[in-house]
Amino acid sequence: MITIHVNTAKPYDVLIGNGLLDRAGELCAPVVAPCRACIVTDDTVAALYADRLDKSLTKAGYRTVRFVFPHGEESKSTEMLVALWEFLAEQRLTRSDCLFALGGGVVGDLCGFAAATYLRGIRFIQLPTTLLAAVDSSVGGKTAVDLRAGKNLVGAFHQPALVLCDPQTLHTLPSATFSDGCAEVVKYAVINDRPLFDRLASGALTSDTVQVIADCVQHKADIVCADEFDKGERQLLNLGHTIGHAVELCSGMQISHGSAVAIGTVTAMRASVALGLATAEELDELIALLSRLALPTTCAYTADELAKAALVDKKRQGDTVTLVLPYAIGDTRLYPIPVSSLSDFLQKGLTL
């Protein structure tokens, strides 16, 4: 088992290792003493893993209830958030109790935001079951739900009490869902880890999954600890995301988050090449790796369509939007541009 300490204002550990799901009760008890435990999950994950988690928690002395909702991004909504609040109130959960987010990014975001706001804040534990959640959304304390206007527009910073990652849960993922997570893994390599990029190109995601997850979590922990509330360096983690969220919105949320981030990352790199900041050779390397991981690298939407969608992104500040540009694989920098120039910039990223 690998332990990574996240030294935020409320510190916690991320535990990564095969077989940890069945040890959840024993591993959680030293952090959150046995109490009322609400397992929050979607219907797909519930069928696979909820009974195992329930058994482990019950054995350790927790008294469990479950809130199960339909899988999919559509459930990351204000309506589902209210339903979860009402369930917690009906079950009489108190601040001494705990929520357990069992699932992918939608589960973690919804459960985390409910934990941040129910009774003005109660504890929650993340148990990611997708690669995307394991390396990204379960760590760092960002929680949110979507509005019709865009993704993650209502949320709060609320750090978990513990993150428990069992990579064996990834074995039941559909290949497309695993690929989604690969986009976030590649993101970390492009941000600041050229050796990780080279390992990924050599197949480390399948040959050394536990260590790759740990490397990504360590990168995120380092950045989050330096900038917990997203005022500066943490914005580097948005590589591919401003454009990616616009792609998702343009598609009516039919393009998955990981696929959209892959498109957004390539678009940013292509624009960087057009501006003379990065090399065409490294752009080719990025496209080759993403293609090998079954991720898209081209965009079906126009620069004007993407720019319009990006204007509702939460990273916009007044008349400026801050993008993340790769200057090289392993070297990314914040690149603020005027909103009025966004369409022209995106055009550079779509046509090289």
Side-chain angles (χ1 to χ4, degrees):
M1 180 174 70
I2 298 174
T3 301
I4 295 172
H5 187 64
V6 185
N7 193 30
T8 47
K10 186 181 78 172
Y12 57 97
D13 288 332
V14 181
L15 310 183
I16 306 164
N18 292 321
L20 296 190
L21 180 63
D22 294 317
R23 298 176 56 200
E26 112 189 42
L27 294 169
C28 293
V31 179
V32 175
C35 57
R36 296 285 305 286
C38 180
I39 299 170
V40 180
T41 189
D42 67 37
D43 50 5
T44 299
V45 177
L48 294 167
Y49 299 118
D51 285 347
R52 288 170 57 184
L53 176 59
D54 199 315
K55 180 180 178 181
S56 180
L57 292 177
T58 301
K59 183 179 179 181
Y62 293 90
R63 303 177 308 283
T64 63
V65 294
R66 297 185 197 181
F67 181 84
V68 181
F69 61 87
H71 65 276
E73 186 75 25
E74 297 81 4
S75 286
K76 206 172 88 171
S77 64
T78 54
E79 292 81 7
M80 194 59 67
L81 177 65
V82 171
L84 177 50
W85 282 334
E86 295 287 2
F87 179 81
L88 298 176
E90 289 165 5
Q91 294 295 322
R92 304 270 198 269
L93 265 75
T94 72
R95 286 182 180 171
S96 64
D97 297 322
C98 188
L99 308 187
F100 288 75
L102 176 68
V106 170
V107 173
D109 278 2
L110 177 68
C111 180
F113 190 31
T117 48
Y118 178 69
L119 300 180
R120 297 192 178 94
I122 66 173
R123 299 168 298 179
F124 84 113
I125 289 173
Q126 291 267 22
L127 298 102
T129 62
T130 67
L131 180 60
L132 189 152
V135 301
D136 194 67
S137 60
S138 67
V139 180
K142 282 187 176 181
T143 71
V145 295
D146 302 338
L147 298 179
R148 285 189 294 273
K151 288 193 57 161
N152 301 327
L153 293 182
V154 183
F157 288 95
H158 190 57
Q159 302 292 348
L162 181 71
V163 180
L164 195 63
C165 175
D166 183 347
Q168 288 182 336
T169 61
L170 306 184
H171 297 164
T172 54
L173 290 178
S175 57
T177 306
F178 185 81
S179 291
D180 249 27
C182 294
E184 296 285 358
V185 174
V186 172
K187 177 191 78 174
Y188 287 106
V190 174
I191 288 173
N192 65 2
D193 194 341
R194 176 71 205 215
L196 175 58
F197 186 94
D198 293 336
R199 285 166 50 214
L200 296 175
S202 298
L205 250 173
T206 51
S207 64
D208 198 13
T209 307
V210 172
Q211 189 58 56
V212 168
I213 291 173
D215 289 347
C216 293
V217 170
Q218 187 65 67
H219 281 309
K220 184 158 192 181
D222 291 343
I223 291 174
V224 167
C225 291
D227 178 25
E228 182 172 355
F229 297 106
D230 211 12
K231 302 295 185 182
E233 183 182 355
R234 185 168 180 169
Q235 295 177 51
L236 291 173
L237 297 172
N238 293 327
L239 174 64
H241 281 63
T242 298
I243 301 170
H245 286 166
V247 169
E248 289 180 83
L249 195 58
C250 287
S251 75
M253 311 309 285
Q254 295 306 299
I255 293 178
S256 66
H257 178 69
S259 291
V261 167
I263 293 168
T265 302
V266 171
T267 303
M269 185 69 151
R270 190 177 285 117
S272 194
V273 171
L275 292 167
L277 306 175
T279 68
E281 290 76 16
E282 289 195 305
L283 171 62
D284 290 341
E285 285 186 82
L286 175 62
I287 291 172
L289 177 57
L290 292 172
S291 297
R292 201 151 50 240
L293 295 171
L295 287 161
T297 59
T298 59
C299 182
Y301 304 105
T302 68
D304 286 343
E305 288 172 326
L306 293 176
K308 181 179 179 181
L311 292 184
V312 299
D313 192 90
K314 61 187 180 298
K315 292 174 282 297
R316 177 184 174 184
Q317 296 184 14
D319 293 328
T320 302
V321 60
T322 298
L323 301 175
V324 184
L325 288 193
Y327 282 56
I329 292 172
D331 176 13
T332 52
R333 307 177 199 180
L334 300 180
Y335 193 86
I337 65 170
V339 167
S340 59
S341 302
L342 183 57
S343 183
D344 289 341
F345 172 88
L346 291 171
Q347 189 61 48
K348 291 181 174 64
L350 297 175
T351 56
L352 179 66

